[in-house]
């Protein structure tokens, strides 16, 4: 157990010294993978951080926005989660998996969603729900 | 606690929190060569990576625990008055109204920060329930008398019904040794709890929210303990009732894309 801990600390150090924030940046794909690894372990804050960075390189990637929405949702940041789901669907309206995520999101957070809809003076477009 | 992330992990610095993931990531081009990994550790890390493998190509299903918001906007609501309930049919062995009201007050006290007024539940006038709910003046006066920000009223019905009948059972014939299907009469009874709940704002008497909740259970045999049955059914509805006025966690599945 101690050996594994030391090994992990070693890797933390290595990763900490990798070029994020330095000249050579990780590719969007690598960031995506990095975020997934974090998400698999329930490290949603880390996953969101990675995907946010990745989004800067690929802002029109609906799959990335979907993942970011899930991360925000798990962190309880429902406003941003909804915004990312909606943007993902705007970019890829036919994507059934994104739609399934968003439909479930809306169902669960219906009360908040309905309240937000009521509070808005007028919706920007004809959004039926 | 939203998400499956543990506080100890999320509160750590980002890179530290990412330790496990970094260790299991395939080596990136240009990463430090010649890293040595102890054989046992390497096996453990590979095993962990396999356990977290994606369920399907291109996507990964994950389970989240998300906070489900309360239904009623509880801003400014601290004191809650639970009135007597309208009972469809009295039960001979116990006071259904008392059981329901006490159960409701107990759960709200235990699971919320609200001040649930510990008083004899005020009775409701004999009036059709819908008319009474629409009578905002009545609720406003009632709330004012007890200093309540929220009034919870309702209707409850507890029904015992006979569900005895013939059922088909498979058994081995003692004569031929073959499996045969026979019909057998079985005594069964069902308990059903059906409730309407009304949440009214004390300051205005306006109805904020109403819900209908029901649960039923079928027992083998007759003359089962009705009070135990009632409590079992009420327990089943407790989460839904409390979730109307306080947020509660809920487990959901989401799809992540892996590429």
């Amino acid at each position: 157990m101690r050996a594994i801990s030391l090994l992990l600390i070693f890797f933390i150090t290595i990763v900490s010294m990798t070029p994020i924030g330095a000249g050579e940046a990780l590719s969007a794909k690598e960031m995506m993978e990095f975020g997934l690894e974090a998400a698999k372990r329930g490290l949603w804050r880390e996953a969101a951080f990675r995907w946010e960075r990745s989004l800067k390189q690929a802002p029109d990637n609906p799959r990335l926005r979907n993942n970011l929405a899930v991360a925000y949702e798990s962190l309880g940041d429902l406003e941003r989660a909804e915004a990312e789901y909606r943007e993902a669907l705007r970019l890829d309206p036919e994507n059934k998996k994104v739609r399934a995520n968003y439909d479930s999101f809306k169902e669960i957070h219906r009360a908040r969603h309905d309240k937000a809809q009521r509070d808005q003076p007028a919706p920007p477009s004809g959004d039926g729900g | 606690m939203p998400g499956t992330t543990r506080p100890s992990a999320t509160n750590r610095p980002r890179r530290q929190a990412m330790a496990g993931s970094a260790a299991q990531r395939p080596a990136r081009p240009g990463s430090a060569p010649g890293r040595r990994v102890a054989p046992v550790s390497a096996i453990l890390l590979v095993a962990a990576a396999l356990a977290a493998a994606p369920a399907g190509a291109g996507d990964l299903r994950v389970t989240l625990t998300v906070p489900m918001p309360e239904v009623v906007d509880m801003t400014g609501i601290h004191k809650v008055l639970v009135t007597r309930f309208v009972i469809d049919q009295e039960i001979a062995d116990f006071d259904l109204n008392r059981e329901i009201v006490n159960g409701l007050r107990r759960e709200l006290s235990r699971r919320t920060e609200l001040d649930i007024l510990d008083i004899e539940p005020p009775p409701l006038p004999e009036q059709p329930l819908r008319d009474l709910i629409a009578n905002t003046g009545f609720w406003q006066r009632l709330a004012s008398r007890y200093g309540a920000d929220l009034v919870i009223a309702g209707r409850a019905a507890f029904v015992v019904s006979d569900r005895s009948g013939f059922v088909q059972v498979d058994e081995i014939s003692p004569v031929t040794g073959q499996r045969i299907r026979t019909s057998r009469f079985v005594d069964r009874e069902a308990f059903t709890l059906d409730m309407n709940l009304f949440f009214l704002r004390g300051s205005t008497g306006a109805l904020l929210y109403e819900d209908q909740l029901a649960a039923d259970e079928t027992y083998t045999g007759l003359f089962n303990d009705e009070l135990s049955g009632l409590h079992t059914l009420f327990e089943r509805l407790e989460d839904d009732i409390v979730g109307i006025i306080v947020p509660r966690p809920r487990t959901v599945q989401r799809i992540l894309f892996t590429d």
Side-chain angles (χ1 to χ4, degrees), chain B residues 82-85 87 90-107 120-121 156 158 193 195 225-235 238 241:
Chain B
V82 181
T83 69
R84 286 180 67 86
F85 271 44
I87 301 298
E90 295 294 345
I91 306 296
D93 293 344
F94 57 87
D95 183 344
L96 177 58
N97 187 52
R98 182 176 297 275
E99 295 297 331
I100 294 287
V101 171
N102 285 353
L104 190 55
R105 297 206 309 194
R106 184 185 59 243
E107 284 309 307
E120 181 64 25
F158 181 72
L193 175 62
M195 297 168 64
D225 183 33
E226 294 178 2
L227 186 55
S228 297
L230 172 69
H231 287 169
T232 301
L233 296 178
F234 189 79
E235 273 175 30
E238 280 170 5
I241 295 170

Side-chain angles (χ1 to χ4, degrees), chain B residues 125-148:
Chain B
E126 290 198 7
Q127 189 178 358
L129 194 56
R130 285 288 157 195
D131 294 346
L132 187 59
I133 294 302
N135 186 350
T136 54
F138 168 76
W139 299 109
Q140 201 175 14
R141 284 192 299 276
L142 187 68
S144 171
R145 190 186 313 155
Y146 293 97

Side-chain angles (χ1 to χ4, degrees), chain B residues 26-50:
Chain B
R28 278 184 286 106
S31 59
R35 279 187 229 165
R36 294 182 63 228
V37 179
V40 175
S41 302
I43 291 167
L44 287 172
L45 293 174
V46 169
L50 289 173

